[in-house]
């Protein structure tokens, strides 16, 4: 096997577990050696029989039994260690892949297909694992068995060895052809598998839409088509395999025929013993399977290489957001935010923000308004560096945010996202997500400000109620309030609420703002809202339109301006 870059990297993963690798190789070599020894004992036994010597045959029998038992035990150890090895290698691989996934930027996730990422993290990793556990022991067994068996056979009789090997090239060609076909079919089947699993995923996630628009039939038809193709390609795989084994059997019988024919003549001419002949035929049987194995291993290596390269591709992706090597911890004293001539585009084609200049003073509460799609969410997401602007500088207390540690930056900014994600966990853990060591009192305090405490207390399990798939379902407004509590508990110096009260009735909204006004003291706050009622709370209102700031001022100033 010639190692490509991918192969070498995979090998490096295996070499990291050197101890297990050595044990695996050791046990698989000894197992193969013992296997090779048995026909030699059988040969001697037969020669004793033929020569009618007085030697005790039982000893030979016992020897064979002994070797088989030891061989069996060692084979167990070999399997055990190769299993341990492949699991450990895949453990490292998974671990590295997961950290890379965690490091990748929002940009990566908004560009990629979730299904594809999940497939790489699961089925590609699995196929690498299958290859490692199968290939390492298979390969050593096969090489040792084939090479040594051939050496022994040649030492018995060179001509007979060459004759008996005649049909083998045919076999290796056959195996390669079948293996390639099977691989192509498998790849095809795997693509379909991806297709229909994403149909299942979409049907579950989008069930409301599907039912509302009576889209069931469309999905069912596509699904049916996919699983039919999947079934058919796997049946074809079965057919190829079913054909392969009898053909291999036939070819090895041809070898046997040649051995008995030519070997028989040699034995009659006393050039070899009868025992030699028998041992020879056993060896031919013994090398058939490893030969087939070697064919399969090379093909399965190709397959694992594809999977591994897909996994490495993600690992090699550089996050668009990089931390300055000399970054320092951000300490927010005042909380002054400045956006200086910010230009931003998601795709480097269309500007979403065009030269934004905005200063938010320490302790100020600004409300950002503007039509949908005007770039409000985009603008606030630049502050925690979920994306970096193409041009312009953002500073907090005069410090460029690209010069500070990401962790410290994000810890100082509390953001309630427009699309809220809650974990399928207890309410308590969801609120305490950003502060895992929070006391219950702190959690309740945050919930009270967000006006969700009464609702939580009314639940039979209170703060230990599980939400999400295996628990209760919350309304849109309840989710928003929980998300607010989750942000408040970390007590950040800068707070961003992105349309966070849109699903809450006007009275509750007012109550939340009343509670928040005390909490907001000394904090810099940016609120994005579509509601006129929110505007009155603002120290200043900023209007975004056509990806630019078009107006700025207090509520009264703007009202005057518009008349
Ligand atoms: N991840 C993304 N990748 C590419 N384009 C995006 C992405 N997110 C938003 N956009 C585009 O950027 C523009 C501004 O979107 P943004 O979400 O900032 O608007 P918004 O002002 O928050 O709107 P809304 O009031 O509806 O929340 C839109 O045209 C949107 O299609
Ligand atoms: Mg938005």
């Amino acid at each position: 096997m010639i190692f490509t870059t991918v192969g070498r990297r995979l090998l490096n993963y295996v070499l990291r577990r050197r101890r297990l690798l050595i044990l695996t190789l050791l046990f698989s070599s000894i197992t193969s050696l013992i296997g090779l020894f048995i026909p030699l004992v059988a040969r001697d036994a037969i020669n004793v029989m033929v020569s009618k010597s007085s030697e005790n045959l039982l000893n030979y029998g016992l020897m064979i039994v002994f070797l088989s038992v030891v061989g069996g035990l060692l084979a167990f150890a070999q399997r055990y260690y190769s299993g341990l090895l492949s699991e450990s290698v895949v453990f490292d691989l998974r671990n590295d892949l997961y950290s890379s996934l965690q490091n990748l930027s929002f940009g990566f996730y908004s560009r990629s297909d979730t299904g594809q990422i999940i497939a790489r993290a699961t089925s590609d990793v699995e196929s690498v694992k299958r290859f490692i556990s199968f290939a390492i022991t298979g390969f050593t067994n096969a090489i040792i068995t084939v090479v040594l068996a051939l050496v022994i056979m040649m030492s018995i009789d060179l001509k007979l060895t060459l004759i008996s090997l005649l049909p083998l090239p045919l076999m290796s060609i056959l195996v390669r052809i079948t293996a390639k076909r099977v691989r192509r079919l498998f790849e095809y089947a795997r693509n379909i598998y991806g297709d229909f699993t994403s149909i299942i995923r979409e049907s579950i996630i989008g069930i409301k839409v599907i039912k509302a628009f009576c889209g069931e039939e469309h999905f069912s038809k596509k699904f049916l088509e996919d699983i039919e193709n999947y079934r058919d390609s796997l049946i074809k795989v079965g057919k190829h395999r079913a054909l392969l084994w009898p053909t291999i059997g036939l070819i090895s019988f041809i070898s046997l025929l040649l051995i008995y024919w030519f070997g028989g003549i040699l034995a009659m001419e006393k050039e070899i013993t009868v025992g030699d002949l028998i041992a020879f035929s056993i060896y031919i049987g013994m090398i058939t399977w490893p030969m087939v194995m070697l064919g399969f291993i090379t093909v399965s290596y190709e397959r694992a290489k594809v999977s591994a390269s897909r996994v490495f591709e993600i690992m090699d992706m550089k996050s668009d957001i990089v931390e300055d090597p000399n970054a320092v911890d951000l300490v927010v004293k005042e909380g002054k935010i400045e956006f200086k001539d910010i230009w931003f585009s998601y795709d480097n084609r269309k500007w979403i923000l065009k030269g934004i200049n905005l200063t938010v003073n320490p302790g100020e509460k600004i409300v950002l308004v503007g039509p949908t799609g005007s770039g409000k969410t985009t603008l606030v997401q630049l502050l925690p560096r979920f994306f970096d602007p193409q041009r312009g500088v953002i500073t907090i207390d005069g410090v460029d945010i690209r010069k500070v540690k990401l962790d410290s930056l994000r810890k100082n900014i509390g953001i309630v996202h427009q699309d809220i994600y809650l974990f399928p966990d207890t309410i308590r853990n969801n609120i305490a997500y950003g502060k895992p060591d929070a006391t219950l009192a702190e959690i309740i305090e945050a919930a009270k400000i967000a006006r969700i405490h009464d609702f939580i207390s009314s639940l039979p399990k209170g703060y230990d109620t599980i939400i999400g798939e295996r628990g209760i379902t919350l309304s849109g407004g309840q989710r928003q309030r929980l998300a607010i509590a989750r942000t408040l508990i970390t007590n950040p110096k800068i707070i961003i609420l992105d349309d966070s009260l849109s699903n809450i009735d006007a009275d509750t909204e007012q109550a939340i703002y009343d509670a928040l006004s005390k909490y907001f003291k000394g904090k810099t706050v940016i609120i994005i809202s579509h509601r006129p009622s929110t505007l009155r709370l603002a120290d200043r209102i900023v209007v975004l339109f056509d990806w630019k700031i078009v107006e700025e001022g207090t509520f009264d100033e703007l009202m005057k301006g518009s008349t």
Side-chain angles (χ1 to χ4, degrees):
M1 259 182 273
I2 302 147
F3 283 116
T4 53
T5 332
V6 175
R8 212 171 307 131
R9 267 176 92 170
L10 209 51
L11 185 69
N12 279 341
Y13 270 94
V14 177
L15 290 180
R16 266 203 230 167
R17 302 294 182 151
R18 207 162 278 135
R19 196 183 68 90
L20 286 176
L21 177 66
I22 291 172
L23 284 171
T24 308
L25 292 179
L26 187 72
F27 282 115
S28 70
S29 325
I30 305 177
T31 314
S32 317
L33 286 177
I34 289 181
L36 283 164
F37 206 62
I38 293 176
L40 292 180
V41 181
R43 174 185 69 178
D44 291 347
I46 288 161
N47 285 342
V48 167
M49 268 187 278
V50 173
S51 65
K52 300 202 177 66
S53 110
S54 56
E55 244 185 285
N56 196 348
L57 272 176
L58 185 64
N59 287 341
Y60 289 99
L62 286 176
M63 185 70 182
I64 290 178
V65 171
F66 172 73
L67 286 176
S68 310
V69 170
V70 174
L73 287 175
L74 291 171
F76 165 76
Q78 166 204 322
R79 271 168 200 264
Y80 174 75
Y81 284 110
S82 76
L84 217 57
L85 176 67
S86 59
E87 289 300 342
S88 314
V89 168
V90 168
F91 176 87
D92 294 342
L93 206 60
R94 276 208 182 103
N95 208 356
D96 290 353
L97 178 65
Y98 188 70
S99 359
S100 317
L101 281 174
Q102 297 259 295
N103 280 330
L104 284 168
S105 64
F106 276 62
F108 165 78
Y109 285 101
S110 62
R111 281 189 304 269
S112 323
D113 171 6
T114 333
Q116 278 292 334
I117 305 175
I118 294 174
R120 286 173 192 217
T122 55
S123 80
D124 279 327
V125 171
E126 274 304 305
S127 92
V128 171
K129 180 174 105 180
R130 256 190 316 250
F131 168 72
I132 291 175
S133 65
F134 161 76
I136 291 178
T137 56
F139 193 71
T140 37
N141 278 346
I143 292 285
I144 292 179
T145 309
V146 171
V147 172
L148 290 184
L150 284 179
V151 169
I152 300 172
M153 284 162 76
M154 283 191 280
S155 76
I156 295 174
D157 193 279
L158 184 62
K159 223 172 18 186
L160 188 60
T161 310
L162 294 178
I163 291 171
S164 64
L165 290 182
L166 279 181
L168 286 182
L170 190 67
M171 192 167 77
S172 99
I173 292 170
L174 192 81
V175 169
R176 276 202 75 80
I177 292 174
T178 312
K180 278 209 172 127
R181 283 222 182 112
V182 165
R183 180 183 143 208
R184 230 172 289 137
L185 283 167
F186 262 135
E187 252 158 43
Y188 176 67
R190 203 172 64 169
N191 281 338
I192 306 177
Y193 183 83
D195 279 356
F196 75 70
T197 42
S198 64
I199 293 182
I200 295 176
R201 211 185 68 226
E202 282 165 37
S203 331
I204 294 170
I205 298 172
I207 189 72
K208 273 191 201 149
V209 183
I210 295 174
K211 286 215 182 294
F213 288 93
C214 304
E216 289 98 331
E217 201 171 324
H218 166 75
F219 268 94
S220 307
K221 234 179 22 218
K222 176 84 180 67
F223 187 71
L224 194 67
E225 226 170 74
D226 277 350
I227 56 170
E228 265 170 7
N229 285 335
Y230 185 69
R231 177 197 61 195
D232 292 347
S233 52
L234 287 189
I235 289 176
K236 271 195 212 144
V237 169
K239 241 190 248 167
H240 280 300
R241 287 195 170 154
L243 250 166
L244 181 68
W245 299 122
T247 323
I248 288 174
L250 184 69
I251 295 173
S252 65
F253 274 121
I254 295 176
S255 286
L256 277 182
L257 176 80
L258 293 173
I259 290 170
Y260 287 132
W261 188 0
F262 289 99
I265 295 172
L266 289 175
M268 279 188 281
E269 288 170 355
K270 297 261 189 282
E271 278 195 34
I272 58 171
T273 63
V274 177
D276 283 337
L277 188 61
I278 303 280
F280 219 93
S281 62
I282 300 177
Y283 281 123
I284 272 289
M286 274 174 82
I287 63 173
T288 312
W289 169 238
M291 289 271 194
V292 175
M293 263 305 252
L294 284 177
F296 273 118
I297 287 173
T298 47
V299 175
S300 106
Y301 173 63
E302 308 271 309
R303 203 165 128 197
K305 220 168 57 181
V306 174
S307 287
S309 67
R310 280 159 54 94
V311 172
F312 291 145
E313 198 178 280
I314 292 192
M315 287 192 193
D316 291 343
M317 274 186 198
K318 294 263 177 300
S319 176
D320 321 332
I321 306 294
V322 269
E323 202 174 72
D324 191 309
N326 304 317
V328 290
D329 274 325
L330 172 72
V331 183
V332 183
K333 288 216 180 75
E334 310 245 86
K336 179 174 181 171
I337 304 166
E338 281 173 283
F339 292 89
K340 296 179 191 163
D341 193 26
I342 297 298
W343 290 74
F344 177 76
S345 163
Y346 284 105
D347 54 9
N348 284 316
R349 274 195 295 254
K350 182 174 178 263
W351 291 115
I352 299 294
L353 298 172
K354 297 182 180 177
I356 301 285
N357 281 297
L358 175 67
T359 304
V360 190
N361 292 311
E364 196 181 19
K365 248 184 297 177
I366 72 156
V367 173
L368 197 57
V369 294
T372 172
S374 55
K376 303 181 296 294
T377 300
T378 307
L379 181 66
V380 296
Q381 286 192 341
L382 299 184
L383 201 56
R385 286 191 75 195
F386 292 159
F387 301 93
D388 276 342
Q390 276 79 358
R391 274 194 246 156
V393 180
I394 302 169
T395 62
I396 294 177
D397 286 348
V399 182
D400 185 341
I401 57 169
R402 274 172 302 194
K403 296 272 189 298
V404 299
K405 291 210 175 117
L406 276 175
D407 255 22
S408 68
L409 173 70
R410 291 178 182 165
K411 280 206 174 110
N412 276 296
I413 301 169
I415 180 162
V416 181
H417 294 273
Q418 192 168 17
D419 51 339
I420 287 161
Y421 180 78
L422 298 171
F423 293 96
D425 198 345
T426 59
I427 290 180
R428 177 203 295 251
N429 289 346
N430 265 286
I431 296 179
Y433 188 75
K435 195 179 179 190
D437 57 350
T439 61
L440 185 59
E442 286 174 299
I443 293 171
I444 291 175
E445 162 86 17
K448 275 187 177 160
I449 303 175
R451 286 285 179 274
I452 185 80
H453 172 70
D454 290 345
F455 165 72
I456 299 171
S457 312
S458 75
L459 297 167
K461 285 196 180 150
Y463 280 85
D464 292 319
T465 311
I466 295 196
I467 51 179
E469 279 160 20
R470 268 165 294 163
I472 62 159
T473 309
L474 299 175
S475 74
Q478 287 157 350
R479 293 169 64 83
Q480 286 186 328
R481 282 177 280 162
L482 214 56
I484 293 175
R486 172 169 70 184
T487 299
L488 298 183
I489 201 167
T490 61
N491 201 20
K493 195 86 177 143
I494 296 165
I495 294 185
I496 297 165
L497 303 179
D498 190 352
D499 218 5
S500 307
L501 299 167
S502 57
N503 288 321
I504 295 166
D505 64 86
D507 288 345
T508 313
E509 185 190 22
Q510 193 55 51
I512 294 175
Y513 278 131
D514 288 345
L516 277 177
S517 59
K518 217 167 21 164
Y519 179 87
F520 281 162
K521 282 243 162 62
K523 295 182 194 297
T524 310
V525 182
I526 301 175
I527 301 173
I528 295 173
S529 175
H530 287 113
R531 286 209 179 154
S533 55
T534 318
L535 301 181
R536 294 181 183 283
L537 299 164
D539 297 326
R540 189 153 49 104
I541 297 163
V542 175
V543 187
L544 262 182
F545 188 77
D546 269 356
W547 312 294
K548 283 188 290 245
I549 292 178
V550 290
E551 258 185 307
E552 237 180 284
T554 61
F555 184 74
D556 294 332
E557 281 166 9
L558 290 195
M559 285 299 127
K560 254 184 238 147
S562 66
T563 49

